[in-house]
Amino acid sequence: MGECIIRVKKLSSDISQFRFDLGHFQLGQPNRRTGVCDTDLFLIGEGTHQEVKICGTNNGQHIYYDVDDVNEPIEVKIIATQPNIYRLWEIRISQIEFKHRAPAGCLQYYREPSGIIQTMNFAVNGRHLADQDYNICMRQETDDPGSGDDSIPLSDDVGQSRGCQDRVMLPCDIEEFITPGGGPRVCDLLHCGNSFCSGSDLPCRIESSTLPFSIHVQFGPAIAEESPEDNLGMCLKYDQQACVV
C-alpha cells in the first residue's frame, strides 16, 4: 500500500478557490470506536490552517478550499495503509474566480433553494469522523428571508447539547423554534442527540432568518464509543421560505 499525491497549481492570480467534487468516493471506514481515519485518509493542504482530513463513503460531497493568498501548489493526498479494502474515487477539481467563489470560511456551499445536507461519511454502516470543525453554508435566494431545517442529527453520549463533544450549531431566532403544534420554544444554538426536539415533539423544525444561513459542525477528538451505531453524523433537509408581505 502507499500514497497517491497530486499537486494543484492556480491557473492565474484571479483564482480564489478550488472546488473538489467527490463524484465517487469510497475509502476505508474510520475506526468504528473512535472515528479516526486510521486506515485510509484523503488529505488536502496537510499542515495548513485549512487542512481537510476525511475517509469513508462521501459520494456526491464537495469541498471548497481557499487559495486567495496561496501561490504554491496545493498538495492533495490519498493514503492507503491496509490491503483488501474496496476503494474507488473520482474527483473533479475546479478553479473558481473571485466573483463566483463561496463565502469565506465555508467548507461547503449549497446554491439550491432546497436540498439535503449530510456530514462527511454519513452512511448506514458509517460513523461520524473525529476532529472535524467546519461550516456548511447556503446561498440566500432572492426575497427568501428564512430557512427551515428538518433534522436527523448526530447522537452523543451527553444528553444536554452544551456538554456535547460532538455537536452542530445553527443560528436561529428565539421565537422561531417551531414545534408540530405551532408553538414557539426557546432556540438553542447547539444541538446533539438524535433530534432537535425531545419526546412527543417529534418531528420538528427550526426556522431562522439569521444571516448568513450556515451550520457549524464540531465533532470532537477521538473518544471510544460504546455504541458506534449511534454516532452516524448529521442529515438535514433544508428549504428556503419566500417572504410573506
Side-chain angles (χ1 to χ4, degrees), residues 201-221:
D201 287 341
L202 296 175
C204 67
R205 71 183 189 273
I206 285 179
E207 290 188 3
S208 175
S209 57
T210 302
L211 296 175
F213 298 146
S214 64
I215 300 168
H216 189 183
V217 177
Q218 284 188 320
F219 293 166

PDB file of all heavy atoms in Angstrom, residues 201-221:
ATOM      1  N   ASP A 201     -42.466  15.854  20.912  1.00  0.00           N
ATOM      2  CA  ASP A 201     -42.343  16.976  19.990  1.00  0.00           C
ATOM      3  C   ASP A 201     -41.968  16.546  18.578  1.00  0.00           C
ATOM      4  O   ASP A 201     -41.984  17.346  17.659  1.00  0.00           O
ATOM      5  CB  ASP A 201     -41.282  17.968  20.488  1.00  0.00           C
ATOM      6  CG  ASP A 201     -41.765  18.759  21.687  1.00  0.00           C
ATOM      7  OD1 ASP A 201     -42.990  18.807  21.883  1.00  0.00           O
ATOM      8  OD2 ASP A 201     -40.923  19.313  22.402  1.00  0.00           O
ATOM      9  N   LEU A 202     -41.579  15.286  18.389  1.00  0.00           N
ATOM     10  CA  LEU A 202     -41.120  14.834  17.083  1.00  0.00           C
ATOM     11  C   LEU A 202     -42.265  14.754  16.085  1.00  0.00           C
ATOM     12  O   LEU A 202     -43.363  14.342  16.442  1.00  0.00           O
ATOM     13  CB  LEU A 202     -40.462  13.458  17.216  1.00  0.00           C
ATOM     14  CG  LEU A 202     -39.185  13.411  18.060  1.00  0.00           C
ATOM     15  CD1 LEU A 202     -38.729  11.965  18.210  1.00  0.00           C
ATOM     16  CD2 LEU A 202     -38.092  14.241  17.433  1.00  0.00           C
ATOM     17  N   PRO A 203     -42.060  15.048  14.775  1.00  0.00           N
ATOM     18  CA  PRO A 203     -40.869  15.740  14.273  1.00  0.00           C
ATOM     19  C   PRO A 203     -41.005  17.245  14.480  1.00  0.00           C
ATOM     20  O   PRO A 203     -42.092  17.746  14.736  1.00  0.00           O
ATOM     21  CB  PRO A 203     -40.904  15.395  12.790  1.00  0.00           C
ATOM     22  CG  PRO A 203     -42.366  15.321  12.485  1.00  0.00           C
ATOM     23  CD  PRO A 203     -43.021  14.742  13.722  1.00  0.00           C
ATOM     24  N   CYS A 204     -39.920  17.960  14.360  1.00  0.00           N
ATOM     25  CA  CYS A 204     -39.975  19.412  14.494  1.00  0.00           C
ATOM     26  C   CYS A 204     -38.985  20.032  13.535  1.00  0.00           C
ATOM     27  O   CYS A 204     -38.273  19.332  12.830  1.00  0.00           O
ATOM     28  CB  CYS A 204     -39.677  19.840  15.925  1.00  0.00           C
ATOM     29  SG  CYS A 204     -37.978  19.512  16.421  1.00  0.00           S
ATOM     30  N   ARG A 205     -38.939  21.353  13.530  1.00  0.00           N
ATOM     31  CA  ARG A 205     -38.022  22.035  12.629  1.00  0.00           C
ATOM     32  C   ARG A 205     -37.551  23.326  13.273  1.00  0.00           C
ATOM     33  O   ARG A 205     -38.151  23.813  14.232  1.00  0.00           O
ATOM     34  CB  ARG A 205     -38.699  22.332  11.292  1.00  0.00           C
ATOM     35  CG  ARG A 205     -39.768  23.404  11.342  1.00  0.00           C
ATOM     36  CD  ARG A 205     -40.445  23.579   9.989  1.00  0.00           C
ATOM     37  NE  ARG A 205     -41.326  24.738   9.945  1.00  0.00           N
ATOM     38  CZ  ARG A 205     -42.592  24.733  10.312  1.00  0.00           C
ATOM     39  NH1 ARG A 205     -43.122  23.610  10.768  1.00  0.00           N
ATOM     40  NH2 ARG A 205     -43.329  25.823  10.234  1.00  0.00           N
ATOM     41  N   ILE A 206     -36.494  23.876  12.724  1.00  0.00           N
ATOM     42  CA  ILE A 206     -36.021  25.198  13.113  1.00  0.00           C
ATOM     43  C   ILE A 206     -36.235  26.129  11.937  1.00  0.00           C
ATOM     44  O   ILE A 206     -35.901  25.787  10.802  1.00  0.00           O
ATOM     45  CB  ILE A 206     -34.531  25.166  13.494  1.00  0.00           C
ATOM     46  CG1 ILE A 206     -34.356  24.518  14.867  1.00  0.00           C
ATOM     47  CG2 ILE A 206     -33.940  26.570  13.511  1.00  0.00           C
ATOM     48  CD1 ILE A 206     -32.925  24.424  15.307  1.00  0.00           C
ATOM     49  N   GLU A 207     -36.816  27.300  12.207  1.00  0.00           N
ATOM     50  CA  GLU A 207     -36.922  28.332  11.193  1.00  0.00           C
ATOM     51  C   GLU A 207     -36.078  29.519  11.633  1.00  0.00           C
ATOM     52  O   GLU A 207     -36.109  29.914  12.796  1.00  0.00           O
ATOM     53  CB  GLU A 207     -38.372  28.763  10.988  1.00  0.00           C
ATOM     54  CG  GLU A 207     -39.223  27.700  10.319  1.00  0.00           C
ATOM     55  CD  GLU A 207     -40.601  28.212   9.952  1.00  0.00           C
ATOM     56  OE1 GLU A 207     -40.866  29.416  10.175  1.00  0.00           O
ATOM     57  OE2 GLU A 207     -41.409  27.417   9.447  1.00  0.00           O
ATOM     58  N   SER A 208     -35.331  30.081  10.694  1.00  0.00           N
ATOM     59  CA  SER A 208     -34.425  31.159  11.049  1.00  0.00           C
ATOM     60  C   SER A 208     -34.306  32.155   9.910  1.00  0.00           C
ATOM     61  O   SER A 208     -34.269  31.783   8.739  1.00  0.00           O
ATOM     62  CB  SER A 208     -33.037  30.591  11.373  1.00  0.00           C
ATOM     63  OG  SER A 208     -32.119  31.639  11.600  1.00  0.00           O
ATOM     64  N   SER A 209     -34.245  33.433  10.271  1.00  0.00           N
ATOM     65  CA  SER A 209     -33.943  34.484   9.300  1.00  0.00           C
ATOM     66  C   SER A 209     -32.557  35.066   9.556  1.00  0.00           C
ATOM     67  O   SER A 209     -32.185  36.084   8.989  1.00  0.00           O
ATOM     68  CB  SER A 209     -34.996  35.595   9.368  1.00  0.00           C
ATOM     69  OG  SER A 209     -35.067  36.132  10.679  1.00  0.00           O
ATOM     70  N   THR A 210     -31.799  34.419  10.427  1.00  0.00           N
ATOM     71  CA  THR A 210     -30.454  34.877  10.757  1.00  0.00           C
ATOM     72  C   THR A 210     -29.509  34.603   9.593  1.00  0.00           C
ATOM     73  O   THR A 210     -29.444  33.487   9.082  1.00  0.00           O
ATOM     74  CB  THR A 210     -29.939  34.160  12.019  1.00  0.00           C
ATOM     75  OG1 THR A 210     -30.838  34.401  13.099  1.00  0.00           O
ATOM     76  CG2 THR A 210     -28.559  34.659  12.399  1.00  0.00           C
ATOM     77  N   LEU A 211     -28.800  35.630   9.171  1.00  0.00           N
ATOM     78  CA  LEU A 211     -27.864  35.501   8.055  1.00  0.00           C
ATOM     79  C   LEU A 211     -26.428  35.559   8.556  1.00  0.00           C
ATOM     80  O   LEU A 211     -26.135  36.235   9.538  1.00  0.00           O
ATOM     81  CB  LEU A 211     -28.108  36.620   7.035  1.00  0.00           C
ATOM     82  CG  LEU A 211     -29.471  36.599   6.334  1.00  0.00           C
ATOM     83  CD1 LEU A 211     -29.624  37.829   5.438  1.00  0.00           C
ATOM     84  CD2 LEU A 211     -29.631  35.327   5.512  1.00  0.00           C
ATOM     85  N   PRO A 212     -25.487  34.891   7.874  1.00  0.00           N
ATOM     86  CA  PRO A 212     -25.748  34.019   6.728  1.00  0.00           C
ATOM     87  C   PRO A 212     -26.339  32.683   7.172  1.00  0.00           C
ATOM     88  O   PRO A 212     -26.163  32.275   8.316  1.00  0.00           O
ATOM     89  CB  PRO A 212     -24.353  33.816   6.132  1.00  0.00           C
ATOM     90  CG  PRO A 212     -23.439  33.915   7.313  1.00  0.00           C
ATOM     91  CD  PRO A 212     -24.053  34.949   8.213  1.00  0.00           C
ATOM     92  N   PHE A 213     -27.051  32.012   6.254  1.00  0.00           N
ATOM     93  CA  PHE A 213     -27.552  30.676   6.550  1.00  0.00           C
ATOM     94  C   PHE A 213     -26.355  29.736   6.613  1.00  0.00           C
ATOM     95  O   PHE A 213     -25.654  29.536   5.622  1.00  0.00           O
ATOM     96  CB  PHE A 213     -28.507  30.200   5.455  1.00  0.00           C
ATOM     97  CG  PHE A 213     -29.738  31.053   5.310  1.00  0.00           C
ATOM     98  CD1 PHE A 213     -30.313  31.242   4.072  1.00  0.00           C
ATOM     99  CD2 PHE A 213     -30.328  31.651   6.411  1.00  0.00           C
ATOM    100  CE1 PHE A 213     -31.455  32.018   3.921  1.00  0.00           C
ATOM    101  CE2 PHE A 213     -31.466  32.429   6.280  1.00  0.00           C
ATOM    102  CZ  PHE A 213     -32.032  32.618   5.026  1.00  0.00           C
ATOM    103  N   SER A 214     -26.114  29.155   7.768  1.00  0.00           N
ATOM    104  CA  SER A 214     -24.949  28.282   7.902  1.00  0.00           C
ATOM    105  C   SER A 214     -25.154  27.301   9.041  1.00  0.00           C
ATOM    106  O   SER A 214     -25.967  27.525   9.948  1.00  0.00           O
ATOM    107  CB  SER A 214     -23.676  29.102   8.148  1.00  0.00           C
ATOM    108  OG  SER A 214     -23.757  29.786   9.383  1.00  0.00           O
ATOM    109  N   ILE A 215     -24.409  26.222   8.988  1.00  0.00           N
ATOM    110  CA  ILE A 215     -24.394  25.198  10.029  1.00  0.00           C
ATOM    111  C   ILE A 215     -22.936  24.964  10.393  1.00  0.00           C
ATOM    112  O   ILE A 215     -22.103  24.739   9.511  1.00  0.00           O
ATOM    113  CB  ILE A 215     -25.022  23.884   9.535  1.00  0.00           C
ATOM    114  CG1 ILE A 215     -26.478  24.107   9.118  1.00  0.00           C
ATOM    115  CG2 ILE A 215     -24.930  22.805  10.610  1.00  0.00           C
ATOM    116  CD1 ILE A 215     -27.080  22.940   8.365  1.00  0.00           C
ATOM    117  N   HIS A 216     -22.638  25.059  11.669  1.00  0.00           N
ATOM    118  CA  HIS A 216     -21.271  24.835  12.128  1.00  0.00           C
ATOM    119  C   HIS A 216     -21.168  23.425  12.695  1.00  0.00           C
ATOM    120  O   HIS A 216     -21.869  23.082  13.652  1.00  0.00           O
ATOM    121  CB  HIS A 216     -20.894  25.865  13.189  1.00  0.00           C
ATOM    122  CG  HIS A 216     -19.443  25.840  13.556  1.00  0.00           C
ATOM    123  ND1 HIS A 216     -18.906  26.640  14.539  1.00  0.00           N
ATOM    124  CD2 HIS A 216     -18.404  25.112  13.070  1.00  0.00           C
ATOM    125  CE1 HIS A 216     -17.617  26.408  14.652  1.00  0.00           C
ATOM    126  NE2 HIS A 216     -17.292  25.477  13.773  1.00  0.00           N
ATOM    127  N   VAL A 217     -20.322  22.612  12.092  1.00  0.00           N
ATOM    128  CA  VAL A 217     -20.120  21.231  12.522  1.00  0.00           C
ATOM    129  C   VAL A 217     -18.893  21.174  13.426  1.00  0.00           C
ATOM    130  O   VAL A 217     -17.810  21.609  13.036  1.00  0.00           O
ATOM    131  CB  VAL A 217     -19.927  20.300  11.310  1.00  0.00           C
ATOM    132  CG1 VAL A 217     -19.633  18.877  11.767  1.00  0.00           C
ATOM    133  CG2 VAL A 217     -21.155  20.333  10.410  1.00  0.00           C
ATOM    134  N   GLN A 218     -19.069  20.655  14.624  1.00  0.00           N
ATOM    135  CA  GLN A 218     -17.966  20.464  15.566  1.00  0.00           C
ATOM    136  C   GLN A 218     -18.023  19.043  16.105  1.00  0.00           C
ATOM    137  O   GLN A 218     -18.862  18.729  16.949  1.00  0.00           O
ATOM    138  CB  GLN A 218     -18.053  21.456  16.732  1.00  0.00           C
ATOM    139  CG  GLN A 218     -17.623  22.866  16.401  1.00  0.00           C
ATOM    140  CD  GLN A 218     -17.552  23.734  17.648  1.00  0.00           C
ATOM    141  OE1 GLN A 218     -18.395  23.646  18.538  1.00  0.00           O
ATOM    142  NE2 GLN A 218     -16.544  24.576  17.726  1.00  0.00           N
ATOM    143  N   PHE A 219     -17.157  18.192  15.586  1.00  0.00           N
ATOM    144  CA  PHE A 219     -17.028  16.830  16.093  1.00  0.00           C
ATOM    145  C   PHE A 219     -15.694  16.753  16.818  1.00  0.00           C
ATOM    146  O   PHE A 219     -14.648  17.042  16.239  1.00  0.00           O
ATOM    147  CB  PHE A 219     -17.082  15.808  14.959  1.00  0.00           C
ATOM    148  CG  PHE A 219     -18.427  15.727  14.273  1.00  0.00           C
ATOM    149  CD1 PHE A 219     -18.561  15.078  13.064  1.00  0.00           C
ATOM    150  CD2 PHE A 219     -19.555  16.292  14.844  1.00  0.00           C
ATOM    151  CE1 PHE A 219     -19.790  14.989  12.431  1.00  0.00           C
ATOM    152  CE2 PHE A 219     -20.793  16.215  14.221  1.00  0.00           C
ATOM    153  CZ  PHE A 219     -20.913  15.562  13.011  1.00  0.00           C
ATOM    154  N   GLY A 220     -15.728  16.369  18.073  1.00  0.00           N
ATOM    155  CA  GLY A 220     -14.569  16.460  18.940  1.00  0.00           C
ATOM    156  C   GLY A 220     -13.501  15.415  18.681  1.00  0.00           C
ATOM    157  O   GLY A 220     -13.566  14.644  17.719  1.00  0.00           O
ATOM    158  N   PRO A 221     -12.489  15.382  19.551  1.00  0.00           N
ATOM    159  CA  PRO A 221     -11.379  14.437  19.387  1.00  0.00           C
ATOM    160  C   PRO A 221     -11.828  12.996  19.574  1.00  0.00           C
ATOM    161  O   PRO A 221     -12.941  12.722  20.030  1.00  0.00           O
ATOM    162  CB  PRO A 221     -10.400  14.864  20.486  1.00  0.00           C
ATOM    163  CG  PRO A 221     -11.253  15.537  21.517  1.00  0.00           C
ATOM    164  CD  PRO A 221     -12.344  16.221  20.750  1.00  0.00           C
TER     165      PRO A 221
END
